[in-house]
Every structure is written in structure tokens, then in C-alpha cells.
Amino acid sequence: GLAWLVSLQKEDGAIHTGQLANYVTSASILALAAADRPEFKETIEEARGFLTALQADEGEGYAPGHRYYGGMGYGGDERPDLSNLQMAMDALAASGTQAEDESFNKALAFLERCQNRSESNDIAIDAGDDKGVIKSGNDGGSAYSPGESKAGFMTLADGTRVPRSYGSMTFALLKGYLLAGLEKDDPRVVAAWKWITANYSLDLNPGFEASADPSEAYQGLFYYFLAMARALELYGEDEITTADGVVHNWKSELGARLTDMQKGDGSWENTNSPRWFEGNPTLATAYALVIMESTL
């Protein structure tokens, strides 16, 4: 399997079969790095070069003040988002990239503009067509990209719209901050942790409560669990104390949740929503195994 991944590498260093170049390259780096074999060193380094070249910065005509600066997209000219960025940051870290690296410093600018924390988020986007101005909120959670949220918007009394924070992206934000070297007492990390403790859930992906579609909070559920496990593992705390004072051992609770979801043939599948390929038991089972490893 590892040899097959190596055989897919392109001239620009990317590893994929024609789609989702960032995601697949990042996942391939994680696999090859985990193997810890000297023969994969050059392949990993070339793939790392692809990811750093993919980052939206001066090379693509983005100034530091642009809302997309420091982000990463799918691999072409698509707009960056936090989902793609968190995968790439995971892979860069696995490839040996240090927290002080320029790519992580640039990523911080994008992370800040995804977070609903006005002290560090300077976005002000004119949505046009009388839709008002999109600005940062202050709940500490994260949207999908600067000024955009899969969970929709909240409209304030003055007409300003705020992207709704939701679980998977807030855990992605926390993980990104930690990979970029921020400490637990950094105000940006503190704000994200506050949102997480106020919205901790293993039933669904929190933040979609206002949606008229009850399936939305189940879309990408395994992805949410993976972001949670990776972020909390990096954060280094086994317990989360929620707003009601209840102490949760997230490892045992998440492990139990996944055990309960396993099918009789040993597989996992997102039966509430097949979106983002989670209706495919091969992908969902792979997610589940990686998550379960973090709970041990």
C-alpha cells in the first residue's frame, strides 16, 4: 500500500489520483511518515514542498491583509478553507515542520480570521445585495473559512452577520493553533477552549442547532470525531469540564460512542448522512480506527 502511494506522486510533489490533491497528499504524508522508513524520506519532502507551495501567500498574489492569506484549498485555484488547512498542517507537522516555520506563521493569520474573536479577527466583508456586512463574533469558536460557515449565519440587531461557529472547525482551529506553537494560556486558545467546553457533544457536530435540516449536524460526524480526538490529544487533557460542572473523560466517552456505532461485520458507516463519503464504510472505518487509537 505504501509503495502504491509513492507511485502516485506527481512532478510537483503531490500524491493523488486526480482529485482532492491537498487531502490525499496530506493523508499520504501521514501514512508514509508513520511507516518511518528512510526510503520514503525524499517522497515525503517533495510532498511537503507541494503543500507549502499550495499555501495562499505572496506567491499567489495574496497580501497579509487578505482574508485568505495563509490558508490552503483543495489543490488548484479553489478558495482556502480551514478543513483543507488543518489536514495540511497535520501532514506538515508529521513531515518534520517545526512550529516556528514560515508556513505555520502564515497559517496563523488564516486561523485568526476563521475564529469568532473580534480582538484577533479583522474581517469585514460586504456581502452585497443588501445582505449586510459579515464580521467576527465573539464566542471563540470557528467557522469554515473567513466569513463563511457551513452552519450558516447569525444576524445581529444592526444587520451585521456573524458566521456560526461549529464543532469540527473549532477543534480544527484549536489543533492548528497548537501545531503553530501557541500555548494553552494564549487568549486565542483560551477562547477556543471556552467554546469547546460550552458545546461538548458526542451525539452530533454542535453548532447546527438553527438548521431546519436535522441531518446537517450528522454530516461529517466521523470527521468531527477525528478533529476532536487529534485536537484534544495535542491539548493534553483527558478531561473536559462542561458549563454544567460535569467532568467528561473524552477518551473513554468517545471510545464508547464509537464502539456503540460499530456494525456487526466490524465496519463503521455514517447512517444518518452519507455526505463527504462517510456513507462509504471503507472511509468511515478508517476514520474510526484512527480515532480509536487516540482514545487508548
Side-chain angles (χ1 to χ4, degrees), residues 115 139-142 165-167 170-171 174 184 188-202 206 209 224 228 231-232 235 237-250 253:
Q115 185 174 24
D139 63 13
S142 181
S165 301
Y166 60 102
T170 303
F171 279 114
L174 176 65
K184 288 183 180 180
R188 293 162 290 184
V189 175
V190 171
W193 185 252
K194 182 179 179 181
W195 191 95
I196 286 167
T197 58
N199 296 275
Y200 174 75
S201 174
L202 294 177
E209 294 81 4
Y224 164 61
M228 172 190 288
L232 294 179
Y235 192 78
E237 294 286 348
D238 291 345
E239 295 180 341
I240 292 178
T241 302
T242 49
D244 56 5
V246 176
V247 178
H248 299 266
N249 185 305
W250 69 267
E253 292 182 4

Side-chain angles (χ1 to χ4, degrees), residues 16-82:
H16 60 86
T17 59
Q19 292 182 303
L20 305 174
N22 182 0
Y23 278 121
V24 181
T25 300
S26 297
S28 298
I29 288 176
L30 292 171
L32 294 169
D36 193 23
R37 297 183 190 175
E39 63 264 34
F40 297 143
K41 183 177 180 180
E42 184 178 350
T43 300
I44 292 172
E45 187 58 29
E46 290 179 2
R48 177 189 178 278
F50 167 76
L51 293 181
T52 55
L54 182 63
Q55 191 167 35
D57 55 17
E58 291 82 358
E60 288 73 35
Y62 291 99
H66 195 283
R67 61 170 161 153
Y68 288 153
Y69 185 84
M72 295 190 190
Y74 286 97
D77 56 0
E78 299 93 343
R79 54 95 189 98
D81 59 70
L82 181 51

Side-chain angles (χ1 to χ4, degrees), residues 3 25 31 44 46 63 66 74 98 101 104 107 116 124 151 156 187 236 242 258 275 286-287 291 296:
T25 300
I44 292 172
E46 290 179 2
H66 195 283
Y74 286 97
Q98 300 300 304
D101 189 84
F104 282 173
N116 275 315
L156 306 183
T242 49
L258 286 172
R275 193 176 185 187
Y287 276 149
I291 298 162
L296 300 177

Side-chain angles (χ1 to χ4, degrees), residues 109 112-113 115 117-122 177 188:
E112 288 178 345
R113 290 179 175 128
Q115 185 174 24
R117 182 177 180 271
S118 59
E119 295 93 331
S120 50
N121 186 342
D122 61 1
Y177 278 155
R188 293 162 290 184

